[in-house]
Amino acid sequence: MEEPPGATEVVDSVLSALADPTRRHLLDMLAARGEATATTLAERLPVSRQAVVKHLAVLETAGLVSGGRVGREVRYAVRPAALDATARWMASLAAFWDRRLENIKRVAEAAERDSSSTRPE
């Protein structure tokens, strides 16, 4: 499974960021809303605005969200590219294991056929 340069770092960063349930929830909320401020997001969570800002910074570092200033507010929105790269990696990994398991199945079935054909009746 050959990956493009930098793909491993992107996937590692995304998976690390998504390991936290609060960050996954923030990403879901942003995906549903389109964009939102940290204050708006914090109103719907049992954590402080400062905690939300820290979580958003992790998501932004992973390339999952971007923050843009609109007047005095910073509005955050989902950036799908890093998530798409991670999904492609996961699909590639799943396909790799599907092929390996199919090969194991073929070998096991061939061994079973061979052993049944060589058994005395």
Side-chain angles (χ1 to χ4, degrees):
M1 289 186 313
E2 191 164 322
E3 298 175 12
T8 300
E9 292 81 11
V10 170
V11 170
D12 289 350
S13 181
V14 167
L15 293 177
S16 178
L18 294 178
D20 184 279
T22 301
R23 289 194 283 269
R24 289 193 306 271
H25 191 63
L26 283 168
L27 198 60
D28 286 343
M29 289 191 311
L30 284 171
R33 292 174 150 269
E35 67 176 21
T37 65
T39 302
T40 303
L41 294 167
E43 290 169 355
R44 300 185 182 277
L45 292 170
V47 297
S48 68
R49 181 190 172 286
Q50 289 78 10
V52 168
V53 169
K54 287 180 181 181
H55 283 297
L56 288 168
V58 172
L59 292 170
E60 192 165 21
T61 299
L64 294 168
V65 302
S66 61
R69 196 164 275 289
V70 178
R72 294 180 48 172
E73 297 180 327
V74 177
R75 295 186 176 269
Y76 294 89
V78 174
R79 291 178 52 203
L83 204 51
D84 290 345
T86 303
R88 282 192 305 276
W89 172 79
M90 292 175 85
S92 173
L93 184 63
F96 169 78
W97 280 106
D98 286 346
R99 286 189 304 274
R100 294 222 33 199
L101 291 172
E102 186 59 38
N103 287 338
I104 291 169
K105 179 182 176 190
R106 257 195 310 279
V107 168
E109 288 172 345
E112 186 177 324
R113 279 191 307 276
D114 290 348
S115 73
S116 67
S117 67
T118 58
R119 278 191 222 142
E121 296 192 31

